[in-house]
């Protein structure tokens, strides 16, 4: 007996009690099918898989798989992973897939189809040091197009050159990887209030690895302003960058002393609109650049005092605050450091 699937080509009907591999391990059954290789599965595909025990129980994952097949069986991970499927459905990837975007990854795109390996396996696609390459397969050299043909940044190249990427990929260290910052299944865009990369959450996300910096930032005028709902205030990524985070002694880093006044702190403190909107002191960047410190800073990153040497890197407070490094009580001790 024969029946036809949704693509041209015959498939031998079989009793539902029979092992699916009776047909699917034999490539000759699918000759004439478009992309016939996707229908061929044998026991080797399950070797080492966390689902190896289910190799003969295909209907656990493949729904509507009664025989004879009249269409490709629907795949669902929900029988075992219902909570994760819900979280995925609410993510950027899930929304893209629901809209019919062919570039949106589903479960198999990240975990594999039949040979799903645990994350501690050296060959696993979700092993910690494999995650950047996995995400980079889409967010890589060409950039990624959304279903609205908007091109997203080529974030993998930036990450690979960052202190996080180099620590993880080159030295096997503990550098943050994509899922640490973006989450695993429920990753959301920066505008989503529940996102780890929403401006209100960035400090907490970075603080998972940098708790002292998080605590200082939350006490600072910048952190206080953010909690007051002022979204013009800088968060970690505004000063350090999002993916291309470089060490402070790297001349290309926005936190390099030679670049702080003009390129980093100056983005706000030399912006007429920001100065006018919040009543900030005008001319501070210009006065620094005209000083001996400002002149010397242009000869290198760390040869003279920069903004953070006087104001501190994260716990930046206004002079009116007694705890500030530039308050009347503390300014002499601050200058005395040098």
């Amino acid at each position: 007996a024969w029946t036809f699937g949704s693509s041209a080509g015959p498939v031998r009907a079989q009793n539902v009690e029979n092992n699916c591999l009776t047909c699917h391990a034999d490539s000759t059954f699918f000759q004439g099918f478009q992309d016939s290789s996707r229908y061929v599965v044998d026991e080797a595909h399950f070797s080492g898989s966390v689902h190896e025990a289910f190799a003969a129980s295909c209907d656990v994952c493949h729904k509507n798989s009664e025989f004879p097949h009249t269409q490709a069986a629907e795949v669902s991970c929900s029988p075992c992973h219902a909570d994760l499927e819900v979280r995925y459905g609410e993510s950027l990837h899930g929304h893209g897939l629901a809209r019919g975007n062919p570039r949106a990854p589903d479960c198999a795109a990240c975990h594999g189809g039949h040979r799903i390996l645990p994350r501690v396996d050296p060959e696993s696609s979700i092993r910690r040091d494999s995650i950047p390459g996995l995400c980079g397969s889409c967010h890589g050299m060409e950039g990624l197009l959304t279903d609205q043909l908007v091109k997203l940044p080529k974030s993998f190249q930036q990450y690979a050159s960052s202190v996080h990427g180099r620590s993880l990929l080159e030295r096997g260290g503990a550098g943050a990887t994509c899922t640490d910052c973006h989450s695993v299944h429920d990753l959301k865009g920066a505008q989503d209030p529940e996102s780890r990369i929403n401006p209100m959450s960035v400090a907490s996300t970075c603080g998972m690895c940098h708790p002292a910096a998080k605590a200082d930032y939350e006490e600072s005028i910048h952190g206080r302003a953010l909690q007051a709902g002022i979204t013009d205030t800088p968060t970690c990524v505004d000063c350090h960058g999002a993916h291309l985070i470089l060490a402070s002694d790297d001349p290309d880093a926005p936190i390099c002393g030679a670049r702080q006044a003009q390129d980093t702190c100056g983005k706000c403190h030399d912006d007429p609109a920001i100065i006018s909107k919040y009543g900030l002191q005008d001319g501070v960047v210009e006065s620094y650049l005209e000083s001996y410190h400002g002149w010397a800073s242009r000869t290198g990153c760390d040869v003279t005092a920069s903004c953070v040497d006087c104001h501190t890197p994260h716990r930046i407070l206004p002079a009116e605050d007694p705890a500030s490094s530039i308050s009347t009580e503390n300014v002499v001790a601050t200058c005395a450091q040098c």
Side-chain angles (χ1 to χ4, degrees):
W2 301 88
T3 186
F4 286 85
S6 57
S7 304
V11 177
R12 185 181 302 167
Q14 62 179 9
N15 189 292
V16 70
E17 284 81 16
N18 288 348
N19 192 315
C20 300
L21 300 183
T22 302
C23 291
H24 284 275
D26 188 346
S27 61
T28 62
F29 285 176
F30 305 99
Q31 290 178 355
F33 273 56
Q34 183 179 3
D35 191 18
S36 61
S37 62
R38 68 188 291 259
Y39 300 104
V40 180
V41 182
D42 59 33
E43 292 184 1
H45 284 80
F46 294 93
S47 178
S49 170
V50 294
H51 295 156
E52 187 170 7
F54 301 127
S57 305
C58 306
D59 58 350
V60 172
C61 300
H62 294 270
K63 303 304 175 184
N64 305 319
S65 56
E66 295 82 4
F67 293 99
H69 294 318
T70 56
Q71 61 183 4
E74 177 188 350
V75 179
S76 175
C77 301
S78 62
C80 298
H81 305 288
D83 58 333
L84 296 182
E85 191 162 79
V86 170
R87 289 162 64 185
Y88 167 82
E90 296 174 348
S91 72
L92 285 175
H93 291 157
H95 288 317
L97 194 67
R99 291 195 302 267
N101 183 356
R103 291 172 288 273
D106 57 11
C107 308
C110 296
H111 293 275
H114 297 98
R115 190 167 183 259
I116 300 174
L117 301 176
R119 61 184 177 183
V120 295
D121 191 296
E123 297 182 19
S124 173
S125 60
I126 59 167
R127 183 181 170 91
R128 183 172 180 80
D129 55 4
S130 298
I131 287 174
L134 174 64
C135 300
S137 63
C138 291
H139 298 272
M141 290 297 294
E142 301 303 322
L144 180 66
L145 287 175
T146 70
D147 51 356
Q148 298 299 315
L149 302 182
V150 174
K151 183 170 281 191
L152 300 180
K154 298 189 294 184
S155 49
F156 173 74
Q157 286 77 12
Q158 293 186 333
Y159 169 82
S161 299
S162 73
V163 290
H164 291 152
R166 294 180 65 185
S167 173
L168 185 72
L169 302 176
E170 297 178 10
R171 298 187 291 272
T177 192
C178 314
T179 53
D180 292 323
C181 300
H182 293 277
S183 189
V184 181
H185 296 100
D186 56 344
L187 70 170
K188 303 177 186 297
Q191 301 307 311
D192 191 313
E194 297 182 0
S195 171
R196 287 188 183 182
I197 59 169
N198 180 274
M200 298 297 292
S201 301
V202 166
S204 294
T205 298
C206 299
M208 291 189 294
C209 295
H210 306 284
K214 170 184 177 288
D216 282 348
Y217 172 80
E218 290 180 340
E219 292 182 12
S220 75
I221 191 63
H222 294 152
R224 294 177 190 177
L226 187 66
Q227 291 302 315
I230 299 174
T231 55
D232 287 328
T233 194
T235 65
C236 313
V237 297
D238 293 299
C239 299
H240 292 274
H243 295 103
L244 186 60
I245 300 173
L246 302 175
S248 60
D249 58 355
D250 188 317
D252 293 326
I255 56 171
C256 164
R259 296 186 58 186
Q260 286 175 23
Q262 289 180 291
D263 300 337
T264 305
C265 303
K267 283 189 299 185
C268 294
H269 289 276
D270 204 27
D271 182 339
I274 294 291
I275 292 170
S276 174
K277 184 175 182 179
Y278 297 104
L280 302 181
Q281 183 179 346
D282 194 5
V284 293
V285 173
E286 182 181 7
S287 68
Y288 170 80
L289 293 175
E290 289 180 350
S291 72
Y292 177 81
H293 291 153
W295 171 82
S297 74
R298 290 190 285 275
T299 67
C301 283
D302 298 313
V303 296
T304 190
S306 62
C307 309
V308 300
D309 292 305
C310 299
H311 295 276
T312 77
H314 299 105
R315 194 169 179 265
I316 300 169
L317 299 171
E320 296 80 10
D321 190 319
S324 171
S325 58
I326 58 167
S327 69
T328 303
E329 296 85 352
N330 296 325
V331 68
V332 173
T334 298
C335 297
Q337 294 176 104
C338 296

